[in-house]
Amino acid sequence: MESPEKARLHDYFRRITEQFPTDGEISSIIITHLLPERPAFLATMARISTVAAVLPKPRSIRESALAEVRHAYPVHDLSRELFSDATSALDYLETTVPGRDVVLLDIGGYFAPSLDILVDKFSGRIRGVVEDTENGHQRYAALDQLRCPVISVARSPLKDCEDHLVGRSIVFSTDALVRSRGDILTSRGAVVIGFGKVGRAIAQTLRAHDLRVTVYDRDPVKRVQALSQGFRATASCAEAIRDAELVLCATGNMALRQRDFEALRNGAYVASVTSSEDELDLGSLYGLYRRTAIEQQVTRYETTGHYFYMLADGGAVNFVHGAAVGSYIHLVQAEILAAAAALSGNRYDSGLHELPATDRDAIATVWLDHFAR
């Protein structure tokens, strides 16, 4: 980012934190993408909390942003295993933030498997979690009981703008990688697995690019919605992918397993909207398929009589080109800041929550004044 853009962004976040002040001292552990605009958000988190650790999502790291963040905060490696085991998760917190009041910022439900133990056993206090994604929202919602507040921004109206643009960026990056092989997407049969907000945007963008689009979602209501918008919808994933030349996975919840990969037509392209560990069971293919990098970010999977192409190693394909959605990302970041401030003041009981409409209205008003004038 250029210096004037940085200054403008810092001023916007200053206005947000003035609107939503924290109540008392807190520390934060932050799981995040490290894209060019992210240091400004982290600097704001550092004004309202002690940033105890930044854990970058492994496939969405820009080296320039990483270098800047390393200079300012502790940066630790992130993996599902770190927090899936309650003992290792508790050891991590006791080493990183012993005895402190902590807010956890999450992207993808990483803290969900160990949250109960962290709330019960941690020497400090878990004030709560702020979750950014639909995938993570579902992980927290699936827990039998939440022992602390979890504020989700995944279904916020303020995130609709970002989700729409993410869908478009997914198609842009997919098209660019296919073109790197001298191929094109136009007129192909495509399948979108998952018809949430991002999946819907992908399907609409693919149709605008003259692809024949089929949708599969486990939720029958989503399949009805797809039909009402003019898409073909199937009753099973197997039926959807059988003849597809392009498969885009947007569930956040293991869209393709071994049997699904084996059912792909020869030469099909596969891409994901989120982390491969959440969306694709690629581990089941090791020893069965040979992997050959044929272009940068394009890998051929081949076994006797069958082959397909995986884009971006199964990671979020839009991060190949920066996943830019413009200033709309700052609407969601502002909501995350407001949620962290709310947790600092113990304003929420245990359970899954969203911010009230009045808070979102206030954020939108500041954003419009700052970015849309």
Side-chain angles (χ1 to χ4, degrees):
M1 298 178 70
E2 300 292 337
S3 295
E5 294 173 313
K6 288 182 179 179
R8 189 180 189 197
L9 185 53
H10 281 289
D11 185 52
Y12 165 74
F13 284 140
R14 176 190 57 77
R15 293 177 63 183
I16 293 296
T17 55
E18 288 174 354
Q19 185 87 31
F20 301 98
T22 52
D23 183 7
E25 294 185 5
I26 54 170
S27 297
S28 56
I29 294 176
I30 304 172
I31 294 175
T32 185
H33 304 295
L34 272 190
L35 301 177
E37 94 302 322
R38 209 53 53 106
F41 170 77
L42 292 173
T44 307
M45 280 300 303
R47 288 201 300 272
I48 69 172
S49 71
T50 299
V51 176
V54 176
L55 294 94
K57 297 271 284 186
R59 294 177 182 267
S60 55
I61 298 173
R62 287 295 186 91
E63 290 302 319
S64 57
L66 178 60
E68 184 176 350
V69 170
R70 279 193 189 281
H71 184 71
Y73 319 105
V75 175
H76 300 158
D77 293 335
L78 175 65
S79 69
R80 284 283 177 199
E81 291 72 25
L82 177 59
F83 298 110
S84 61
D85 177 74
T87 300
S88 66
L90 185 59
D91 287 346
Y92 176 80
L93 259 66
E94 294 294 2
T95 301
T96 307
V97 282
R100 302 188 211 171
D101 284 8
V102 182
V103 170
L104 306 173
L105 268 57
D106 203 352
I107 299 182
Y110 279 82
F111 299 110
S114 56
L115 187 59
D116 283 358
I117 296 298
L118 296 181
V119 171
D120 286 343
K121 303 295 186 182
F122 175 49
S123 64
R125 180 168 52 156
I126 305 298
R127 288 290 188 97
V129 180
V130 184
E131 172 55 51
D132 184 35
T133 66
E134 177 64 24
N135 173 24
H137 181 110
Q138 293 178 23
R139 289 174 184 266
Y140 287 107
L143 297 177
D144 290 337
Q145 182 181 11
L146 287 169
R147 305 289 298 279
C148 71
V150 176
I151 301 178
S152 171
V153 304
R155 299 178 181 179
S156 167
L158 294 179
K159 206 169 193 292
D160 289 349
C161 310
E162 177 191 351
D163 289 338
H164 173 71
L165 293 170
V166 165
R168 298 186 69 168
S169 72
I170 289 285
V171 175
F172 170 86
S173 293
T174 300
D175 185 49
L177 294 181
V178 170
R179 285 177 180 270
S180 73
R181 299 194 62 245
D183 210 344
I184 61 172
L185 293 179
T186 302
S187 79
R188 289 180 181 271
V191 166
V192 179
I193 304 177
F195 201 64
K197 290 186 289 185
V198 174
R200 187 178 303 118
I202 292 170
Q204 292 167 344
T205 306
L206 288 171
R207 181 164 59 188
H209 282 66
D210 299 322
L211 282 84
R212 304 182 307 279
V213 183
T214 297
V215 168
Y216 171 69
D217 195 293
R218 295 185 183 96
D219 183 349
V221 174
K222 297 286 181 62
R223 298 202 297 272
V224 170
Q225 292 172 342
L227 284 171
S228 74
Q229 295 177 33
F231 299 106
R232 178 174 178 259
T234 63
S236 70
C237 181
E239 181 185 355
I241 67 176
R242 184 172 53 225
D243 297 317
E245 297 165 275
L246 170 66
V247 178
L248 277 162
C249 303
T251 70
N253 190 19
M254 206 53 67
L256 298 180
R257 300 183 184 275
Q258 180 182 332
R259 64 180 180 276
D260 302 310
F261 289 113
E262 293 172 346
L264 292 169
R265 66 176 284 166
N266 276 338
Y269 291 97
V270 179
S272 174
V273 171
T274 187
S275 303
S276 58
E277 60 190 0
D278 297 328
E279 196 73 65
L280 305 170
D281 186 15
L282 292 176
S284 66
L285 303 184
Y286 290 119
L288 300 176
Y289 282 76
R290 296 183 298 278
R291 299 171 72 254
T292 305
I294 59 170
E295 298 287 344
Q296 188 174 15
Q297 303 291 349
V298 182
T299 303
R300 179 184 173 104
Y301 279 70
E302 183 176 14
T303 190
T304 304
H306 188 227
Y307 70 98
F308 62 90
Y309 299 104
M310 180 64 62
L311 304 183
D313 290 327
V317 69
N318 55 326
F319 283 107
V320 172
H321 300 103
V325 296
S327 60
Y328 295 98
I329 186 68
H330 308 316
L331 286 163
V332 182
Q333 291 172 338
E335 191 166 355
I336 291 169
L337 291 168
L343 291 174
S344 75
N346 293 321
R347 282 174 247 165
Y348 287 89
D349 296 329
S350 297
L352 190 59
H353 303 275
E354 296 183 3
L355 288 183
T358 51
D359 288 356
R360 291 165 174 165
D361 289 348
I363 291 168
T365 299
V366 173
W367 185 93
L368 285 167
D369 181 62
H370 207 80
F371 292 108
R373 285 190 300 176

